[in-house]
Amino acid sequence: MIEVKKSTGLRETRLLDSEELPIKALRKRLTISFVSISLFIYLITIALAILVSSSSLNLSLDSNIKRLIAEIQPAVKIENGHLSLRDWETNARSQNLQIQHVVQLYDKDGKLLEAYGISGVPRLTDGRCEQAGLQFAHDFRSKFIAVQNAGFLQIQVDAKRTDEALIHFLMTMLALIPVVALTAGWAGYIFCGEAVMPISENFRVLRRFVDDAGHELRTPVSIISASVETLEVVLASDDANVRIVEKINRAVARLKYLSSNLLILATMDSPGMQLRYSTLDLTALVLQVCSDFQSAAANKGIKLQVSVRPNLELLGNSDALQQMLSNLLDNAIRCTANGGTISVNGQSNATTTSIEVSDSGIGIPEESIQHVFERFYRVESSRAREQGGTGLGLSIVKSVVEAHGGKVSVSSKLNVGTVFTAQFPHRT
Ligand code: ADP
């Protein structure tokens, strides 16, 4: 499992161990696909086996019929102008032979003259007999031939046994489906486990790297930041030095921003890890973050207006929400020209609490709007290079809002401005 260690003061979110939930889900999905494909192949195989068996059984019945025709046909006599097998039947009876098939004689017009053996279908038919409306519960294979130009001899063979054999085979194969599914599931689970192992290892290494990089960056950044504060006082008398210190300050701020984003990212990418939620004072949180950005806004001559309803409460994770708002404000300041305006609004209605950050900046091109929340997406690389940025900020905003059960939306117009709205449902 993954644990989150927190210390007061410094924000600390550390991954201690990782349960690879996405990898487990991937393994499960692959196993299910493997079982489905195996079952599909098994069913197709059954269907083909039935088809092949039934046609070879029919072939054998047909050759049986041919043999019977060759045996019986010479015994057909003509009595009073009609075909007859009476002598043949008398002969068979005298030898105590049972006629196991249907033997029928018809006149030239297809009228039944004589029938022997088990009851059959009283009509001239070749091939499989239709059963609809007849009293037979199973198939006959049938053939007829013209005899001496005086009528027809028809032999039908009962196909009950072959039908039963096929049904028995089908039932056995269907009954084996659970066994096949379990075996395929077991084999699939083992194979898929082997297949996802390298992915799982890469995923774990990447996440640990992001987590470590976030933490490793933070300490030197804090030291630089503190040293720069001291230098600011010492070097305040020299304008050139002040400018250098300002540059360092900006660089340090970017590094801080990057390290916090990396930490939040590592947390968000660990579905096994639960963000700790508590009922927090959203009004205070918004005011605090906005005040942190006041000087950055003032440096660009941007007016940062904050309007937040008093006593707004939210069940949430304070670090994550601060990062979300910081990312929105950081973007707004970077994307708004000197002298522009940024407004932050915190509101609540019967169902949701919302935070809205709007700016009078450069806006987002229409074709980019649907992509801005994707990880590493940046609007025009030239613009991104000018402004700095990693393409992570808004993807983190989205992850944080969604982790709180909310949704984030954006509307923007080029050279007019952009509005980001994060809406959180009331939860207890
Ligand atoms: P980055 O860290 O590179 O800014 P983001 O994910 O925060 O990455 O933003 C994605 C893209 O959306 C960036 O290229 C950025 O220029 C653009 N963008 C974000 N916020 C705004 C805004 N308020 N106005 C105009 N463009 C914005």
Side-chain angles (χ1 to χ4, degrees):
M1 272 306 287
I2 297 157
E3 278 179 36
V4 183
K5 253 195 203 167
K6 285 198 176 171
S7 68
T8 47
L10 270 180
R11 289 168 50 182
E12 189 161 323
T13 313
R14 188 84 184 154
L15 303 178
L16 292 182
D17 193 7
S18 56
E19 194 184 2
E20 310 293 354
L21 286 189
I23 300 297
K24 274 194 172 172
L26 176 65
R27 186 177 184 182
K28 202 167 133 195
R29 273 209 309 278
L30 285 175
T31 307
I32 291 172
S33 307
F34 186 82
V35 173
S36 313
I37 291 171
S38 303
L39 283 180
F40 180 70
I41 293 174
Y42 182 70
L43 291 175
I44 295 274
T45 310
I46 296 177
L48 286 177
I50 297 268
L51 216 69
V52 171
S53 314
S54 104
S55 77
S56 71
L57 287 171
N58 284 341
L59 277 178
S60 111
L61 287 178
D62 288 347
S63 76
N64 194 18
I65 293 176
K66 273 187 199 150
R67 189 182 54 75
L68 288 169
I69 287 178
E71 196 183 304
I72 297 170
Q73 188 185 0
V76 180
K77 300 265 161 48
I78 298 184
E79 285 175 8
N80 305 325
H82 291 302
L83 299 179
S84 173
L85 271 170
R86 267 188 246 284
D87 291 351
W88 169 79
E89 195 226 4
T90 316
N91 192 25
R93 235 188 251 165
S94 70
Q95 292 180 38
N96 273 338
L97 293 178
Q98 278 205 337
I99 302 170
Q100 303 283 356
H101 29 269
V102 182
V103 180
Q104 291 167 328
L105 286 172
Y106 294 85
D107 66 10
K108 275 199 271 189
D109 302 325
K111 193 168 144 239
L112 182 64
L113 301 171
E114 292 174 14
Y116 304 96
I118 54 173
S119 46
V121 181
R123 63 187 157 127
L124 286 176
T125 173
D126 194 357
R128 187 176 180 278
C129 295
E130 294 297 324
Q131 290 177 36
L134 300 171
Q135 73 269 44
F136 308 108
H138 46 88
D139 284 353
F140 280 87
R141 292 290 291 181
S142 170
K143 274 228 172 309
F144 68 88
I145 53 159
V147 181
Q148 298 174 24
N149 238 353
F152 300 93
L153 163 67
Q154 172 162 271
I155 310 272
Q156 295 171 354
V157 176
D158 192 346
K160 184 180 177 189
R161 285 226 189 99
T162 58
D163 283 357
E164 279 175 355
L166 283 177
I167 288 171
H168 184 71
F169 172 73
L170 179 66
M171 288 305 173
T172 311
M173 296 315 254
L174 291 180
L176 284 175
I177 284 181
V179 179
V180 174
L182 281 177
T183 314
W186 173 75
Y189 195 71
I190 305 251
F191 289 141
C192 297
E194 295 287 320
V196 298
M197 197 120 68
I199 306 173
S200 164
E201 187 54 22
N202 286 347
F203 188 72
R204 196 183 60 74
V205 169
L206 182 69
R207 216 170 55 198
R208 186 152 290 277
F209 170 75
V210 172
D211 185 45
D212 287 347
H215 279 90
E216 292 309 317
L217 271 173
R218 206 167 46 184
T219 314
V221 167
S222 303
I223 295 170
I224 298 171
S225 179
S227 310
V228 172
E229 271 174 31
T230 318
L231 272 180
E232 251 175 337
V233 180
V234 177
L235 304 175
S237 52
D238 183 334
D239 271 3
N241 286 340
V242 169
R243 276 198 299 280
I244 291 171
V245 170
E246 268 173 20
K247 266 190 185 168
I248 299 175
N249 260 333
R250 277 201 296 278
V252 170
R254 295 304 307 155
L255 280 174
K256 269 188 189 161
Y257 176 78
L258 182 63
S259 84
S260 334
N261 268 336
L262 286 178
L263 284 173
I264 288 286
L265 196 64
T267 313
M268 290 294 155
D269 274 354
S270 310
M273 187 171 71
Q274 297 286 311
L275 279 178
R276 290 199 182 156
Y277 295 101
S278 56
T279 304
L280 51 90
D281 183 346
L282 191 64
T283 306
L285 185 146
V286 172
L287 292 174
Q288 176 59 51
V289 176
C290 289
S291 98
D292 290 347
F293 279 85
Q294 279 297 357
S295 69
N299 285 344
K300 279 186 85 174
I302 294 172
K303 201 165 157 198
L304 177 54
Q305 299 168 331
V306 187
S307 157
V308 54
R309 223 188 74 176
N311 305 323
L312 273 186
E313 284 192 339
L314 188 72
L315 181 66
N317 179 280
S318 169
D319 288 351
L321 289 169
Q322 279 181 42
Q323 192 64 41
M324 177 214 79
L325 186 54
S326 300
N327 288 3
L328 290 176
L329 280 171
D330 184 86
N331 280 343
I333 291 174
R334 275 189 296 133
C335 297
T336 302
N338 289 11
T341 310
I342 296 174
S343 304
V344 179
N345 268 290
Q347 295 300 332
S348 180
N349 62 26
T351 51
T352 53
T353 298
S354 62
I355 299 178
E356 188 186 274
V357 177
S358 54
D359 63 59
S360 61
I362 51 179
I364 303 171
E366 214 176 310
E367 66 276 11
S368 293
I369 285 196
Q370 54 177 329
H371 299 294
V372 286
F373 292 108
E374 291 167 13
R375 191 171 291 181
F376 300 118
Y377 182 83
R378 294 186 301 182
V379 175
E380 298 161 20
S381 41
S382 58
R383 187 216 265 202
R385 251 196 312 278
E386 244 168 58
Q387 299 171 343
T390 53
L392 288 175
L394 289 179
S395 71
I396 289 171
V397 168
K398 185 166 185 266
S399 298
V400 169
V401 176
E402 287 177 355
H404 285 76
K407 54 182 197 280
V408 61
S409 58
V410 55
S411 68
S412 185
K413 209 163 185 195
L414 265 186
N415 301 320
V416 175
T418 305
V419 184
F420 283 97
T421 311
Q423 284 185 308
F424 303 94
H426 293 318
R427 298 191 299 178
T428 44

